[in-house]
Amino acid sequence: MRPLTEGSLPTRRRTACKWTAALALAGLMLVATSAAADTGWSDWPSRPPANLSNSDIDQARRPAIVAGPPGRLLVVWRDQPLGGGEDGWLYARTTQDDGETWSQTETITITTDEIFPPDGLSVEGQFLVTWAQRAVPGDRVVVYEARKGADRWTIHPIPGPNSDAPTRPHLTVAGGRLHLIFSANRSPGAPTDLFHTSRPLTATEWPTATVFFTHTAFLGGSQFPAVVAGSDGATLHLVWEEKQSAVERTILYMSGTVTASGTVIWSPPVTLSEGITLSVNPAIAAGATGDLHVVWGENADQGQYVRYVRYDATEGRWLLPSVRVSDVPMLLNQIDPADLTPHVAVFEGSQTQVCITWHGFRESDPPPGAEEVWVSCSTDGGKTWSTPRNVSRSPDAVSIMPWTTFDDQGRLHVVWEERIRSEETDTYYEIFYTRGFNRSVFLPLVLRGWP
């Protein structure tokens, strides 16, 4: 793995004059504008995207980014080592200065198994990572959790079912315990259910994960869960995709109260995607005031859209129906993933900022019709959204699967995977990173060191 250097960035990523660009952007972006006021989708005012993975064979996929204590961030992704033969290793890089410089690439795990998308969490100043991997041959999926120590990562398996289904495990902390939620089937080939397990923060061993929600359709399953802890520190908030068939999928929500004994009392599910036939890949974020923010992809005849809905803690209800973040349909190439995978992050300073990222391209975009990563933000609880901005800025490359987090200064950090080239049936990817201000750039901030 090569260290990240300015000289290693592609030519199209470089800037000739940082301050000239900053001042020009400041003049354009002194005031945040709404989607109705803008005529086009311009570039997001951020630093040039940088290749963070520098893969030896360009197979870096499925990144996640986590904010820790001030200045600290973790990016984790899966890759394949030089020489081939192995299905995937898990790698990470960290920063101590808000992304100015990054550590050398660290190897979390070495395996010949297939690795599914990871998730990360910062707990009491320590970074944790979870992922699932499937043995080949054998097809049994096992979920793992790893924590970063002083000089190495320690790995702990999570006992669970004899599943063969792909899964995306997620971690959060509530009620003084670390909670892990994932989807799996109880026997190979069966529909997937939702599983949960938890342990005290000081423990290392995980109890066996058990089912807490059973799928509702015989031919479908409960899949792609995402979980966060509420502002009270004792409630789990969960969204997932309930698959009835290939053309009918619903976004459901449940809350879970963590008791003093560590058990979880789950509420009945609530449908968030009312009136939408095909809803996919939800994500959720929680604010300090008790509000919840949920996004997902909507498949429609004319294209795909990003959907958003908010739980208003003051009113004690979901503000249904959900809204489209932009009325411009997104188009996607039919290479993994063929569906939208939006992500949402929240920052609460002088006002609440909600930012959503997603990938896709518009029908009006020039050839070759390659996905870009877009960002749109709201400061009024989702009533209005800023005009989408181009984060990836790579018109000749496919940019997909964005993941975001805010730091304590309100800067939005974004990672994604970029298909840098295709050769017949083979595709090649790297992980890219950038950061910027969430919605607008104000001149005093620019002059202090944009972005």
Side-chain angles (χ1 to χ4, degrees):
M1 294 290 178
R2 303 187 301 274
L4 176 63
T5 62
E6 190 67 21
S8 69
L9 302 184
T11 301
R12 67 181 175 81
R13 303 285 194 190
R14 297 174 186 159
T15 51
C17 182
K18 177 178 178 180
W19 287 109
T20 300
L23 292 172
L25 282 167
L28 292 172
M29 300 288 292
L30 285 175
V31 179
T33 57
S34 69
D38 271 331
T39 58
W41 293 11
S42 59
D43 289 348
W44 189 44
S46 64
R47 60 176 50 200
N51 185 338
L52 202 63
S53 55
N54 290 299
S55 173
D56 289 318
I57 61 173
D58 299 328
Q59 288 298 322
R61 307 292 305 270
R62 301 306 194 254
I65 186 168
V66 184
R72 296 183 61 193
L73 296 159
L74 167 80
V75 175
V76 59
W77 69 92
R78 73 185 195 197
D79 199 352
Q80 292 176 311
L82 185 65
E86 292 85 358
D87 284 283
W89 292 9
L90 203 62
Y91 295 102
R93 295 185 76 174
T94 58
T95 177
Q96 306 285 338
D97 52 15
D98 289 313
E100 291 291 337
T101 60
W102 291 85
S103 70
Q104 296 293 319
T105 300
E106 306 170 17
T107 301
I108 298 177
T109 188
I110 297 173
T111 177
T112 58
D113 294 349
E114 177 187 4
I115 290 183
F116 298 116
D119 181 37
L121 184 68
S122 177
V123 181
E124 297 182 346
Q126 186 178 47
F127 286 121
L128 306 179
V129 172
T130 185
W131 72 97
Q133 60 190 59
R134 177 164 57 194
V136 181
D139 282 346
R140 185 171 187 270
V141 173
V142 178
V143 178
Y144 293 88
E145 172 259 328
R147 70 199 70 178
K148 181 174 171 54
D151 57 355
R152 66 187 181 95
W153 290 84
T154 58
I155 299 174
H156 307 276
I158 287 82
N162 184 27
S163 175
D164 66 348
T167 186
R168 301 176 189 172
H170 287 270
L171 288 166
T172 196
V173 173
R177 300 176 66 88
L178 186 63
H179 298 263
L180 191 146
I181 286 177
F182 59 94
S183 61
N185 49 22
R186 301 186 222 195
S187 60
T192 51
D193 302 316
L194 298 183
F195 285 74
H196 167 264
T197 184
S198 72
R199 63 165 177 79
L201 295 179
T202 55
T204 57
E205 300 299 319
W206 287 89
T208 300
T210 58
V211 174
F212 69 96
F213 184 84
T214 301
H215 63 277
T216 59
F218 178 74
L219 296 178
S222 306
Q223 56 189 12
F224 309 143
V227 64
V228 293
S231 57
D232 62 0
T235 306
L236 301 175
H237 299 281
L238 171 75
V239 291
W240 74 95
E241 176 187 315
E242 190 70 11
K243 180 181 177 181
Q244 287 79 29
S245 69
V247 295
E248 186 178 1
R249 305 184 189 189
T250 303
I251 304 303
L252 299 182
Y253 161 84
M254 286 175 63
S255 65
T257 302
V258 183
T259 66
S261 64
T263 60
V264 179
I265 301 174
W266 295 98
S267 68
V270 175
T271 299
L272 299 183
S273 55
E274 293 180 350
I276 307 171
T277 302
L278 190 53
S279 296
V280 298
N281 297 323
I284 186 171
T289 61
D291 284 4
L292 301 171
H293 309 269
V294 177
V295 297
W296 66 87
E298 172 198 356
N299 283 351
D301 291 339
Q302 62 271 44
Q304 301 187 41
Y305 302 89
V306 177
R307 281 277 177 175
Y308 168 86
V309 70
R310 177 170 64 94
Y311 177 82
D312 189 298
T314 301
E315 296 188 24
R317 66 184 182 92
W318 289 96
L319 302 184
L320 296 170
S322 63
V323 298
R324 288 176 175 174
V325 172
S326 170
D327 286 330
V328 177
M330 290 285 100
L331 303 179
L332 282 77
N333 291 289
Q334 295 304 305
I335 303 176
D336 175 45
D339 294 321
L340 286 181
T341 59
H343 200 260
V344 59
V346 179
F347 178 74
E348 292 181 334
S350 58
Q351 59 182 349
T352 299
Q353 307 264 352
V354 181
C355 288
I356 299 171
T357 52
W358 68 92
H359 66 263
F361 63 95
R362 299 163 296 179
E363 187 176 16
S364 59
D365 289 336
E371 287 92 333
E372 298 274 24
V373 172
W374 307 96
V375 62
S376 180
C377 301
S378 176
T379 58
D380 57 10
K383 295 178 182 177
T384 60
W385 293 90
S386 63
T387 300
R389 304 296 183 193
N390 190 335
V391 176
S392 51
R393 292 161 278 172
S394 54
D396 297 325
V398 170
S399 302
I400 54 178
M401 302 296 291
W403 197 287
T404 60
T405 190
F406 277 109
D407 64 25
D408 63 331
Q409 299 299 311
R411 287 170 296 209
L412 188 66
H413 301 257
V414 187
V415 292
W416 65 94
E417 62 181 76
E418 196 156 292
R419 190 184 310 147
I420 58 174
R421 71 183 188 278
S422 298
E423 297 176 1
E424 296 181 349
T425 60
D426 296 324
T427 52
Y428 298 88
Y429 297 84
E430 294 280 7
I431 303 304
F432 279 83
Y433 160 83
T434 190
R435 78 170 193 210
F437 289 108
N438 41 21
R439 239 194 128 192
S440 56
V441 175
F442 295 94
L443 190 58
L445 294 176
V446 171
L447 293 179
R448 284 201 295 269
W450 176 83

